[in-house]
Coordinates of all heavy atoms in Angstrom, one line a residue:
M4 N 0.8 -1.2 0.0 CA 0.0 -0.1 0.0 C 0.9 1.2 0.0 O 1.8 1.3 0.8 CB -0.9 0.0 1.2 CG -1.7 1.2 1.5 SD -2.7 1.2 2.9 CE -3.8 -0.2 2.7
P5 N 0.7 2.1 -0.9 CA 1.5 3.3 -0.9 C 1.2 4.2 0.3 O 0.2 4.2 0.9 CB 0.9 4.1 -2.2 CG 0.2 3.1 -3.0 CD -0.3 2.1 -2.0
P6 N 2.3 4.9 0.8 CA 2.1 5.7 2.0 C 1.0 6.7 2.0 O 0.3 7.0 3.0 CB 3.5 6.5 2.1 CG 4.4 5.7 1.3 CD 3.6 5.0 0.2
K7 N 0.7 7.3 0.8 CA -0.4 8.3 0.7 C -1.8 7.6 1.0 O -2.6 8.2 1.7 CB -0.3 9.0 -0.6 CG -1.4 10.1 -0.7 CD -1.2 10.9 -2.0 CE -2.3 12.0 -2.0 NZ -2.2 12.8 -3.2
E8 N -2.0 6.5 0.5 CA -3.2 5.7 0.6 C -3.3 5.3 2.2 O -4.4 5.4 2.7 CB -3.3 4.5 -0.2 CG -4.6 3.8 -0.1 CD -5.7 4.5 -0.7 OE1 -5.5 5.4 -1.6 OE2 -6.8 4.2 -0.4
Y9 N -2.2 4.9 2.7 CA -2.3 4.6 4.2 C -2.6 5.8 5.0 O -3.4 5.7 5.9 CB -0.9 4.0 4.6 CG -0.8 3.7 6.1 CD1 -1.4 2.5 6.6 CD2 -0.2 4.5 7.0 CE1 -1.4 2.2 7.9 CE2 -0.1 4.2 8.3 CZ -0.7 3.1 8.7 OH -0.7 2.7 10.1
S10 N -2.0 6.9 4.7 CA -2.4 8.2 5.4 C -3.9 8.5 5.3 O -4.5 9.0 6.2 CB -1.5 9.3 4.8 OG -1.9 10.5 5.4
R11 N -4.4 8.3 4.1 CA -5.9 8.6 3.9 C -6.7 7.7 4.8 O -7.7 8.2 5.4 CB -6.3 8.4 2.4 CG -5.8 9.4 1.4 CD -6.2 9.0 0.1 NE -7.7 9.2 -0.1 CZ -8.3 8.6 -1.1 NH1 -7.7 7.9 -2.0 NH2 -9.7 8.8 -1.1
I12 N -6.4 6.5 4.9 CA -7.1 5.5 5.7 C -7.0 5.8 7.1 O -8.0 5.7 7.9 CB -6.7 4.0 5.4 CG1 -7.1 3.7 3.9 CG2 -7.2 3.1 6.4 CD1 -6.5 2.4 3.4
V13 N -5.8 6.2 7.6 CA -5.6 6.5 9.0 C -6.4 7.8 9.3 O -7.1 7.7 10.4 CB -4.1 6.7 9.4 CG1 -3.9 7.3 10.7 CG2 -3.4 5.4 9.2
R14 N -6.4 8.7 8.5 CA -7.2 10.0 8.8 C -8.7 9.6 8.9 O -9.4 10.1 9.7 CB -6.9 11.1 7.7 CG -5.6 11.7 7.9 CD -5.5 12.9 7.0 NE -5.8 12.7 5.7 CZ -5.8 13.5 4.7 NH1 -5.2 14.7 4.9 NH2 -6.1 13.2 3.5
F15 N -9.1 8.8 7.9 CA -10.6 8.4 7.9 C -10.9 7.7 9.1 O -11.9 7.9 9.8 CB -10.8 7.6 6.6 CG -12.2 7.0 6.6 CD1 -13.3 7.8 6.3 CD2 -12.4 5.6 6.7 CE1 -14.6 7.3 6.3 CE2 -13.6 5.1 6.6 CZ -14.7 5.9 6.4
Q16 N -10.0 6.7 9.6 CA -10.3 5.9 10.8 C -10.4 6.8 12.0 O -11.2 6.6 12.9 CB -9.2 4.9 11.0 CG -9.3 3.7 10.0 CD -10.5 2.9 10.2 OE1 -10.9 2.6 11.4 NE2 -11.2 2.4 9.2
K17 N -9.5 7.8 12.0 CA -9.5 8.7 13.2 C -10.8 9.5 13.2 O -11.4 9.7 14.3 CB -8.3 9.7 13.2 CG -8.3 10.6 14.4 CD -7.0 11.4 14.5 CE -7.0 12.2 15.8 NZ -5.8 13.1 15.8
A18 N -11.3 10.0 12.0 CA -12.5 10.7 12.0 C -13.7 9.8 12.3 O -14.6 10.2 13.1 CB -12.7 11.2 10.5
L19 N -13.7 8.5 11.9 CA -14.7 7.6 12.4 C -14.8 7.5 13.9 O -15.8 7.3 14.5 CB -14.5 6.3 11.7 CG -15.1 5.9 10.4 CD1 -14.7 4.5 9.9 CD2 -16.6 6.1 10.4
W20 N -13.5 7.3 14.4 CA -13.4 7.1 15.9 C -14.0 8.3 16.6 O -14.7 8.2 17.6 CB -12.0 6.9 16.2 CG -11.8 6.6 17.7 CD1 -11.9 5.4 18.3 CD2 -11.5 7.5 18.8 NE1 -11.7 5.4 19.6 CE2 -11.4 6.8 20.0 CE3 -11.3 8.9 18.8 CZ2 -11.1 7.3 21.2 CZ3 -11.0 9.5 20.0 CH2 -10.9 8.7 21.2
L21 N -13.7 9.6 16.1 CA -14.2 10.7 16.7 C -15.7 10.8 16.7 O -16.5 11.1 17.6 CB -13.6 12.0 16.2 CG -12.1 12.2 16.5 CD1 -11.5 13.4 15.7 CD2 -12.0 12.5 18.0
I22 N -16.3 10.5 15.5 CA -17.8 10.4 15.3 C -18.4 9.4 16.2 O -19.4 9.6 16.9 CB -18.1 10.2 13.8 CG1 -17.7 11.4 13.0 CG2 -19.6 9.9 13.6 CD1 -17.7 11.3 11.5
Q23 N -17.7 8.2 16.3 CA -18.2 7.1 17.1 C -18.3 7.5 18.5 O -19.2 7.0 19.2 CB -17.2 5.9 16.9 CG -17.3 4.8 17.9 CD -16.2 3.8 17.6 OE1 -15.7 3.7 16.5 NE2 -15.7 3.3 18.7
N24 N -17.4 8.4 19.0 CA -17.4 8.8 20.4 C -18.2 10.1 20.6 O -18.0 10.8 21.6 CB -15.9 8.9 20.8 CG -15.4 7.5 21.0 OD1 -15.8 6.8 21.9 ND2 -14.4 7.2 20.1
G25 N -19.1 10.4 19.7 CA -20.1 11.5 20.0 C -19.7 12.8 19.4 O -20.5 13.8 19.5
S26 N -18.6 13.0 18.7 CA -18.3 14.4 18.2 C -19.1 14.6 17.0 O -19.1 13.7 16.0 CB -16.8 14.5 17.9 OG -16.5 15.7 17.4
R27 N -19.7 15.8 16.9 CA -20.4 16.2 15.7 C -19.9 17.5 15.2 O -20.5 18.1 14.3 CB -22.0 16.3 15.9 CG -22.6 15.0 16.3 CD -22.6 14.0 15.1 NE -23.3 12.7 15.4 CZ -22.7 11.6 15.7 NH1 -21.4 11.6 15.8 NH2 -23.4 10.5 15.9
D28 N -18.8 17.9 15.7 CA -18.1 19.2 15.2 C -17.2 18.8 14.1 O -16.0 18.5 14.3 CB -17.3 19.8 16.4 CG -16.5 21.0 16.0 OD1 -16.8 21.6 15.0 OD2 -15.5 21.2 16.7
Y29 N -17.8 18.8 12.9 CA -17.0 18.4 11.7 C -15.9 19.2 11.3 O -14.9 18.8 10.9 CB -18.0 18.2 10.5 CG -19.0 17.1 10.8 CD1 -20.4 17.4 10.9 CD2 -18.7 15.8 11.1 CE1 -21.4 16.5 11.2 CE2 -19.6 14.9 11.5 CZ -20.9 15.2 11.5 OH -21.8 14.2 11.8
I30 N -16.0 20.5 11.7 CA -14.8 21.4 11.5 C -13.7 21.0 12.4 O -12.5 20.9 11.9 CB -15.2 23.0 11.6 CG1 -16.3 23.4 10.6 CG2 -14.0 23.8 11.7 CD1 -16.8 24.7 10.8
G31 N -14.0 20.8 13.7 CA -13.0 20.3 14.6 C -12.4 19.0 14.2 O -11.2 18.7 14.3
I32 N -13.3 18.0 13.8 CA -12.8 16.7 13.3 C -11.9 16.9 12.1 O -10.8 16.3 12.1 CB -14.0 15.8 13.0 CG1 -14.8 15.4 14.2 CG2 -13.5 14.6 12.3 CD1 -16.1 14.7 13.9
A33 N -12.2 17.7 11.2 CA -11.3 18.0 10.0 C -10.0 18.5 10.5 O -8.9 18.0 10.0 CB -12.0 18.9 9.1
H34 N -10.0 19.4 11.3 CA -8.7 20.0 11.8 C -7.9 19.0 12.6 O -6.7 18.8 12.4 CB -9.0 21.2 12.8 CG -7.9 21.8 13.4 ND1 -7.3 21.5 14.6 CD2 -7.0 22.7 12.8 CE1 -6.2 22.2 14.9 NE2 -6.0 22.9 13.8
D35 N -8.5 18.2 13.5 CA -7.9 17.2 14.4 C -7.2 16.1 13.5 O -6.3 15.5 13.9 CB -8.8 16.6 15.4 CG -9.2 17.6 16.4 OD1 -8.5 18.6 16.5 OD2 -10.1 17.3 17.2
C36 N -7.9 15.8 12.4 CA -7.5 14.6 11.5 C -6.6 15.0 10.4 O -6.1 14.2 9.6 CB -8.7 13.9 11.0 SG -9.7 13.2 12.3
G37 N -6.4 16.3 10.3 CA -5.3 16.8 9.2 C -5.9 17.1 7.9 O -5.2 17.2 6.9
Y38 N -7.3 17.2 7.8 CA -7.9 17.6 6.5 C -7.8 19.1 6.4 O -7.7 19.9 7.4 CB -9.4 17.2 6.5 CG -9.6 15.8 6.5 CD1 -9.9 15.0 7.6 CD2 -9.5 15.1 5.3 CE1 -10.1 13.6 7.6 CE2 -9.6 13.7 5.2 CZ -10.0 13.0 6.4 OH -10.1 11.6 6.3
A39 N -7.8 19.6 5.1 CA -7.6 21.0 4.9 C -8.8 21.9 5.4 O -8.6 23.0 5.9 CB -7.4 21.3 3.4
D40 N -10.0 21.3 5.3 CA -11.2 21.9 5.8 C -12.3 21.0 5.9 O -12.1 19.8 5.6 CB -11.6 23.1 4.9 CG -11.7 22.8 3.4 OD1 -11.9 21.6 3.1 OD2 -11.6 23.7 2.6
Q41 N -13.5 21.4 6.3 CA -14.6 20.5 6.4 C -15.0 19.9 5.1 O -15.3 18.7 5.1 CB -15.7 21.3 7.0 CG -17.0 20.5 7.3 CD -18.1 21.3 7.9 OE1 -18.0 22.5 8.3 NE2 -19.2 20.6 8.0
S42 N -15.0 20.7 4.0 CA -15.4 20.0 2.8 C -14.5 19.0 2.3 O -14.9 18.0 1.7 CB -15.5 21.1 1.7 OG -14.4 21.8 1.4
H43 N -13.2 19.1 2.6 CA -12.2 18.0 2.3 C -12.5 16.7 3.1 O -12.5 15.7 2.5 CB -10.8 18.5 2.7 CG -9.7 17.6 2.3 ND1 -8.5 17.6 2.9 CD2 -9.6 16.6 1.4 CE1 -7.7 16.7 2.4 NE2 -8.4 16.0 1.5
L44 N -12.9 16.9 4.4 CA -13.3 15.8 5.2 C -14.5 15.1 4.6 O -14.5 13.9 4.4 CB -13.6 16.3 6.6 CG -14.4 15.3 7.5 CD1 -13.6 14.1 7.8 CD2 -14.9 16.0 8.7
I45 N -15.5 15.9 4.2 CA -16.7 15.3 3.7 C -16.5 14.6 2.4 O -17.0 13.5 2.2 CB -17.8 16.4 3.5 CG1 -18.2 16.8 5.0 CG2 -19.1 15.9 2.8 CD1 -19.0 18.2 5.0
R46 N -15.7 15.2 1.5 CA -15.3 14.5 0.2 C -14.6 13.1 0.4 O -15.0 12.2 -0.2 CB -14.4 15.4 -0.6 CG -15.2 16.3 -1.6 CD -14.2 17.0 -2.6 NE -13.0 17.4 -2.1 CZ -12.7 18.5 -1.5 NH1 -13.7 19.4 -1.4 NH2 -11.5 18.9 -1.2
E47 N -13.6 13.2 1.3 CA -12.8 12.0 1.6 C -13.8 10.9 2.2 O -13.7 9.7 1.9 CB -11.7 12.3 2.5 CG -10.5 12.8 1.8 CD -9.7 11.8 0.9 OE1 -9.3 10.8 1.5 OE2 -9.8 11.9 -0.2
F48 N -14.6 11.4 3.2 CA -15.5 10.5 3.9 C -16.4 9.8 2.9 O -16.6 8.6 2.9 CB -16.2 11.3 4.9 CG -16.7 10.5 6.1 CD1 -16.0 10.5 7.3 CD2 -17.9 9.8 6.0 CE1 -16.4 9.8 8.4 CE2 -18.4 9.1 7.1 CZ -17.6 9.0 8.2
K49 N -17.0 10.6 2.0 CA -17.9 10.0 1.0 C -17.2 9.0 0.1 O -17.7 8.0 -0.3 CB -18.6 11.1 0.2 CG -19.7 10.6 -0.7 CD -20.7 11.6 -1.1 CE -21.8 11.0 -1.8 NZ -22.8 11.9 -2.1
T50 N -16.0 9.4 -0.4 CA -15.2 8.5 -1.2 C -14.9 7.2 -0.5 O -15.0 6.1 -1.2 CB -13.8 9.2 -1.6 OG1 -14.1 10.4 -2.3 CG2 -13.0 8.3 -2.5
L51 N -14.5 7.2 0.7 CA -14.1 6.0 1.4 C -15.3 5.2 2.0 O -15.1 3.9 2.1 CB -13.1 6.4 2.5 CG -11.8 6.9 2.0 CD1 -10.8 7.4 3.1 CD2 -11.0 5.8 1.2
S52 N -16.4 5.8 2.3 CA -17.4 5.1 3.0 C -18.7 5.0 2.1 O -19.6 4.2 2.4 CB -17.8 5.8 4.3 OG -18.5 6.9 4.1
G53 N -18.8 5.9 1.1 CA -20.1 6.0 0.3 C -21.1 6.8 0.9 O -22.2 7.0 0.3
H54 N -20.8 7.4 2.1 CA -21.8 8.3 2.8 C -21.1 9.5 3.3 O -19.8 9.5 3.5 CB -22.4 7.6 3.9 CG -23.2 6.3 3.5 ND1 -24.4 6.3 2.9 CD2 -22.9 5.0 3.6 CE1 -24.8 5.2 2.6 NE2 -23.9 4.3 3.1
T55 N -21.8 10.5 3.6 CA -21.3 11.7 4.3 C -21.2 11.4 5.8 O -22.0 10.5 6.2 CB -22.1 13.0 4.0 OG1 -23.4 12.8 4.6 CG2 -22.1 13.3 2.5
P56 N -20.5 12.2 6.6 CA -20.5 11.9 8.0 C -21.9 12.1 8.7 O -22.2 11.4 9.6 CB -19.5 13.0 8.5 CG -18.7 13.4 7.4 CD -19.6 13.2 6.2
T57 N -22.7 12.9 8.1 CA -24.0 13.1 8.6 C -25.0 11.9 8.3 O -25.8 11.6 9.1 CB -24.6 14.4 8.1 OG1 -23.7 15.5 8.4 CG2 -26.0 14.7 8.7
T58 N -24.8 11.4 7.1 CA -25.8 10.4 6.7 C -25.3 8.9 7.1 O -26.2 8.0 7.1 CB -26.0 10.3 5.2 OG1 -24.8 10.2 4.5 CG2 -26.7 11.7 4.7
L59 N -24.1 8.7 7.3 CA -23.6 7.4 7.7 C -24.3 6.8 8.9 O -24.8 5.6 8.8 CB -22.1 7.4 7.9 CG -21.5 6.0 8.2 CD1 -21.6 5.1 7.1 CD2 -20.0 6.1 8.7
P60 N -24.7 7.5 10.0 CA -25.3 6.9 11.1 C -26.8 6.5 10.7 O -27.3 5.6 11.4 CB -25.3 8.1 12.1 CG -24.2 8.8 11.8 CD -24.1 8.8 10.3
N61 N -27.3 6.9 9.7 CA -28.6 6.5 9.2 C -28.6 5.1 8.6 O -29.6 4.4 8.6 CB -29.3 7.4 8.1 CG -29.5 8.8 8.6 OD1 -29.7 9.0 9.9 ND2 -29.5 9.7 7.7
Y62 N -27.4 4.6 8.1 CA -27.3 3.3 7.5 C -26.5 2.3 8.4 O -26.8 1.2 8.4 CB -26.4 3.4 6.3 CG -27.1 4.3 5.2 CD1 -26.9 5.6 5.1 CD2 -28.1 3.7 4.3 CE1 -27.6 6.4 4.2 CE2 -28.8 4.4 3.4 CZ -28.5 5.8 3.4 OH -29.2 6.5 2.4
C63 N -25.7 2.8 9.4 CA -25.0 1.9 10.3 C -24.3 2.8 11.3 O -24.3 3.9 11.3 CB -23.9 1.1 9.5 SG -22.6 2.1 8.9
T64 N -23.9 2.1 12.4 CA -23.2 2.8 13.5 C -21.7 2.9 13.1 O -21.1 1.9 12.8 CB -23.3 2.0 14.8 OG1 -24.7 1.8 15.1 CG2 -22.7 2.7 15.9
P65 N -21.2 4.1 13.0 CA -19.8 4.3 12.7 C -18.9 3.6 13.6 O -19.2 3.8 14.9 CB -19.6 5.8 12.7 CG -20.9 6.5 12.7 CD -21.9 5.4 13.2
Y66 N -18.0 2.8 13.2 CA -17.2 2.1 14.1 C -15.7 2.0 13.6 O -15.5 1.7 12.5 CB -17.7 0.6 14.3 CG -16.8 -0.1 15.4 CD1 -16.9 0.2 16.7 CD2 -16.0 -1.1 14.9 CE1 -16.1 -0.5 17.5 CE2 -15.2 -1.8 15.8 CZ -15.3 -1.5 17.1 OH -14.5 -2.2 18.0
S67 N -14.8 2.3 14.5 CA -13.4 2.2 14.2 C -12.7 1.7 15.4 O -12.8 2.3 16.5 CB -12.8 3.6 13.8 OG -11.4 3.5 13.7
D68 N -11.9 0.6 15.3 CA -11.1 0.2 16.3 C -9.6 0.2 16.1 O -8.8 -0.3 16.8 CB -11.5 -1.3 16.8 CG -11.2 -2.3 15.7 OD1 -10.7 -1.9 14.6 OD2 -11.4 -3.5 16.0
L69 N -9.3 1.0 15.0 CA -7.9 1.2 14.7 C -7.1 1.8 15.8 O -6.0 1.3 16.1 CB -7.7 2.1 13.5 CG -6.3 2.2 13.0 CD1 -5.8 0.9 12.5 CD2 -6.3 3.2 11.8
F70 N -7.7 2.7 16.5 CA -6.9 3.4 17.6 C -7.1 2.8 19.0 O -6.4 3.1 19.9 CB -7.2 4.9 17.6 CG -6.7 5.5 16.3 CD1 -7.5 5.8 15.3 CD2 -5.4 5.8 16.1 CE1 -7.1 6.4 14.1 CE2 -4.9 6.3 15.0 CZ -5.8 6.7 13.9
T71 N -8.3 2.0 19.1 CA -8.5 1.4 20.4 C -8.1 0.0 20.5 O -7.9 -0.5 21.6 CB -10.1 1.5 20.7 OG1 -10.8 0.9 19.6 CG2 -10.6 3.0 20.7
N72 N -7.9 -0.6 19.4 CA -7.6 -2.1 19.4 C -6.7 -2.3 18.2 O -7.1 -3.0 17.3 CB -8.8 -2.9 19.5 CG -8.4 -4.4 19.6 OD1 -7.4 -4.7 20.0 ND2 -9.4 -5.3 19.3
P73 N -5.5 -1.8 18.1 CA -4.7 -1.9 16.9 C -4.3 -3.4 16.7 O -3.9 -4.1 17.7 CB -3.5 -1.1 17.1 CG -3.5 -0.7 18.5 CD -4.9 -1.0 19.1
A74 N -4.4 -3.8 15.5 CA -4.0 -5.3 15.3 C -2.6 -5.4 14.8 O -2.1 -4.6 14.0 CB -5.0 -5.8 14.3

């Protein structure tokens, strides 16, 4: 896996973890995860999950264990 792709996945997993733990401040999540801005977060989120951060909970519970249970 190229380093850039790995970085994208790690940022996405961190955003999922923050959403999973109750954060709905998408500007703050974007900043904490290294995205340029909120729209960058939303674009990447939709590319990687097929949903926006707001609509994903309507389809499933966001879950990431990358940072809580690394394998």
Side-chain angles (χ1 to χ4, degrees):
M4 172 183 299
K7 185 173 182 177
E8 186 68 21
Y9 179 76
S10 174
R11 287 178 69 200
I12 292 169
V13 168
R14 287 191 309 189
F15 174 71
Q16 288 289 319
K17 185 173 181 184
L19 270 179
W20 187 84
L21 290 169
I22 292 168
Q23 167 187 328
N24 288 292
S26 181
R27 295 294 183 260
D28 173 23
Y29 299 118
I30 294 172
I32 291 173
H34 180 265
D35 291 346
C36 296
Y38 291 100
D40 54 23
Q41 182 178 354
S42 64
H43 184 205
L44 164 68
I45 293 168
R46 267 192 322 275
E47 280 286 297
F48 206 94
K49 189 161 185 171
T50 298
L51 295 171
S52 74
H54 300 284
T55 65
T57 306
T58 61
L59 184 64
N61 297 336
Y62 295 95
C63 65
T64 303
Y66 181 74
S67 169
D68 67 355
L69 180 65
F70 295 101
T71 57
N72 187 18

